[in-house]
Amino acid sequence: MDYSFPRETLWRTASKITISAHLFGILANILMLIWLLHYREGMDLDSSNPYRIFNVHPFLMFFGFIFLIGEAMMAYKTVPADRQTQKFVHMFLNLSALVLGIVGIHATFKFHDKMNMLDMYSLHSWIGIGTFCLFILQWLFGFSLFVFPKASAVTRARLAPWHVFGGRALLYMAICAAETGLMQKFTFLQLTNNRESYLINFLALAILLFGITVDISVSLGRFA
Amino acid sequence: MDYSFPRETLWRTASKITISAHLFGILANILMLIWLLHYREGMDLDSSNPYRIFNVHPFLMFFGFIFLIGEAMMAYKTVPADRQTQKFVHMFLNLSALVLGIVGIHATFKFHDKMNMLDMYSLHSWIGIGTFCLFILQWLFGFSLFVFPKASAVTRARLAPWHVFGGRALLYMAICAAETGLMQKFTFLQLTNNRESYLINFLALAILLFGITVDISVSLGRFA
């Protein structure tokens, strides 16, 4: 069987999939806000209500981390500018994700502290912290390789695919962290069939579809 | 920057990643068996103990479904035979996954029935059943396109990338289903820091790494 890919078709579809990725990401952000502001207690990192502190965590870990790294991965396609600008946007979005991710992780430790709860025992926390530590390494690796002190063109070309694969694997892991986190909260809230449970499930599906569409969008770019 | 991939390096690394995928898959199967047989009640689909019925579910959904579809995805690299044989192995492993997946899903409905528990309310069940239904469609699509009645060579070449992307997205979804399922069971068991909780977390990490390594192994094949 011939494995040649019809480039033109792939390019056209790639742009449709990139648009879907944006839409799933925006949908997930909207559902997240409806959940936290309407069904839950709202968000405030300095609140006396520990649940308002906790709620900063899911919001920042999706909007501030997953959504931004997804958009950063697609920046080479979506930013209508020269390659240097695209590269800067890619680096800057990932740096913002790093900073907002630290604040988001801080929120959950502060919540555990106020509630005298154990830290770092659940699968969600293991996947989450593992992903975040590897993400910091990936950012430092990317920055030193492609920005400053910047490797030679040959080295960059040799290592670029591993940067891409690393990023895709990290997105995969971050999505798993989000899904397990929502699953954990869902079980703690002892939800079964009600409006809030449907909302959380649709939110989680939107996050999953964001991950899949970003991944396919990035992979398609590699072929074409 | 030059995006040419040094093929030879990629090929050598691809085979190492494929071996890692096998090892993570085998590790996950071993950890799963230790968990279900030593820490839990064991497995029996016809038991009077509903928990022994339930335990068939995680085992078959990993060994029977995720592990087999992962191995099926890598069959074009790992089976030392001609392309027709590789294709048959790929089809047959996916068919086995379909059958064992149905038995595995049956186990959990039977458990819910015995325990008078609600079905299909959790995120895990939504992702799981969604993945499985799409997997059946993907199998039927693949079979009719590539085996019988088999499309023309041009159509096959045009649709092959979508079959590959569909399979990768389904693997992604299946891993999320596994992670949320283990997270749900973990929370129901009210585990915190003990041997069983570490075992479940390492099992879930092995499953996640199996997914990532299979995905990268398959993607690398596309470049090289």
Side-chain angles (χ1 to χ4, degrees):
Chain A
M1 208 182 69
D2 180 23
Y3 260 103
S4 67
F5 294 96
R7 283 172 177 241
E8 209 190 309
T9 321
L10 281 177
W11 259 122
R12 257 185 284 122
T13 316
S15 64
K16 278 181 209 151
I17 288 178
T18 310
I19 292 167
S20 315
H22 293 310
L23 292 179
F24 284 125
I26 292 166
L27 176 66
N29 275 310
I30 293 170
L31 292 175
M32 178 73 86
L33 287 174
I34 295 173
W35 178 45
L36 296 174
L37 302 179
H38 178 70
Y39 287 88
R40 292 283 120 211
E41 304 80 7
M43 291 179 272
D44 182 356
L45 200 53
D46 289 313
S47 175
S48 57
N49 178 352
Y51 291 100
R52 286 171 65 85
I53 299 174
F54 173 80
N55 292 343
V56 173
H57 176 69
F59 177 72
L60 281 188
M61 296 326 282
F62 181 70
F63 169 73
F65 188 66
I66 295 178
F67 182 66
L68 292 188
I69 62 174
E71 291 294 332
M73 286 168 78
M74 298 188 298
Y76 290 103
K77 294 220 178 93
T78 53
V79 177
D82 59 293
R83 192 162 177 90
Q84 276 310 105
T85 313
Q86 291 176 331
K87 193 170 156 179
F88 176 79
V89 171
H90 177 81
M91 182 278 282
F92 184 75
L93 284 175
N94 279 317
L95 180 63
S96 312
L98 202 156
V99 174
L100 293 175
I102 290 171
V103 180
I105 292 171
H106 163 72
T108 192
F109 279 102
K110 190 169 176 182
F111 168 71
H112 286 176
D113 204 37
K114 292 234 176 210
M115 302 284 280
N116 281 316
M117 286 163 81
L118 282 171
D119 292 320
M120 294 302 308
Y121 66 87
S122 76
L123 176 58
H124 167 63
S125 61
W126 285 32
I127 298 180
I129 222 73
T131 307
F132 201 76
C133 292
L134 292 173
F135 174 77
I136 294 176
L137 290 177
Q138 165 87 347
W139 193 89
L140 291 173
F141 165 73
F143 192 83
S144 56
L145 186 64
F146 300 112
V147 183
F148 182 82
K150 201 172 181 172
S152 70
V154 176
T155 312
R156 278 182 282 142
R158 278 196 169 262
L159 294 179
W162 307 114
H163 183 70
V164 174
F165 282 127
R168 278 180 45 211
L170 283 168
L171 180 72
Y172 212 132
M173 290 174 71
I175 299 291
C176 283
E179 302 296 317
T180 51
L182 287 168
M183 187 76 235
Q184 189 176 26
K185 184 74 182 175
F186 187 103
T187 320
F188 280 148
L189 293 171
Q190 298 188 297
L191 299 174
T192 49
N193 281 310
N194 61 28
R195 282 195 187 172
E196 185 175 357
S197 77
Y198 295 145
L199 182 78
I200 296 178
N201 288 357
F202 280 116
L203 163 61
L205 288 183
I207 293 176
L208 180 56
L209 289 168
F210 176 72
I212 291 174
T213 45
V214 169
D215 187 53
I216 294 182
S217 160
V218 172
S219 308
L220 276 173
R222 305 284 112 187
F223 288 119
Chain B
M1 206 182 71
D2 181 23
Y3 260 103
S4 66
F5 294 96
R7 282 171 178 242
E8 209 189 308
T9 322
L10 281 177
W11 259 122
R12 256 184 285 123
T13 316
S15 64
K16 279 181 207 152
I17 288 180
T18 309
I19 292 167
S20 317
H22 293 310
L23 292 177
F24 284 125
I26 292 166
L27 175 66
N29 276 311
I30 293 170
L31 292 175
M32 179 72 86
L33 287 173
I34 295 173
W35 178 46
L36 296 174
L37 302 179
H38 179 69
Y39 287 88
R40 293 284 120 209
E41 305 79 7
M43 291 180 274
D44 183 356
L45 200 54
D46 289 312
S47 175
S48 57
N49 178 353
Y51 291 99
R52 287 172 64 86
I53 299 175
F54 174 80
N55 292 343
V56 173
H57 176 69
F59 176 72
L60 281 188
M61 295 327 280
F62 182 70
F63 168 73
F65 188 65
I66 295 178
F67 182 66
L68 291 189
I69 64 174
E71 291 295 332
M73 285 168 78
M74 299 187 297
Y76 291 104
K77 294 222 177 93
T78 53
V79 177
D82 59 294
R83 192 161 177 89
Q84 277 309 108
T85 313
Q86 291 176 330
K87 192 169 156 179
F88 177 79
V89 171
H90 177 81
M91 183 279 283
F92 185 75
L93 284 175
N94 279 317
L95 181 63
S96 312
L98 202 157
V99 174
L100 293 175
I102 290 171
V103 180
I105 292 171
H106 163 72
T108 191
F109 279 102
K110 189 169 176 182
F111 168 71
H112 286 175
D113 203 38
K114 292 234 177 210
M115 301 284 280
N116 280 317
M117 287 165 81
L118 282 172
D119 291 319
M120 294 302 307
Y121 66 87
S122 75
L123 177 57
H124 168 64
S125 61
W126 284 33
I127 298 179
I129 222 74
T131 307
F132 200 77
C133 292
L134 291 173
F135 174 77
I136 294 177
L137 290 178
Q138 166 87 345
W139 193 88
L140 292 173
F141 165 72
F143 191 84
S144 55
L145 185 64
F146 300 111
V147 182
F148 182 82
K150 201 171 182 174
S152 70
V154 176
T155 311
R156 277 182 283 143
R158 278 195 168 261
L159 293 180
W162 306 114
H163 182 71
V164 174
F165 283 127
R168 279 180 44 211
L170 283 167
L171 180 72
Y172 213 133
M173 290 174 70
I175 299 292
C176 282
E179 301 296 317
T180 50
L182 287 167
M183 187 74 236
Q184 189 176 28
K185 183 74 182 175
F186 187 102
T187 319
F188 280 147
L189 292 171
Q190 297 187 299
L191 299 175
T192 51
N193 281 309
N194 61 28
R195 281 194 186 174
E196 185 174 358
S197 77
Y198 295 144
L199 181 77
I200 296 178
N201 287 356
F202 280 117
L203 163 60
L205 288 183
I207 293 177
L208 180 56
L209 289 168
F210 176 71
I212 291 174
T213 44
V214 169
D215 187 52
I216 294 183
S217 160
V218 172
S219 307
L220 276 174
R222 304 284 113 188
F223 288 119

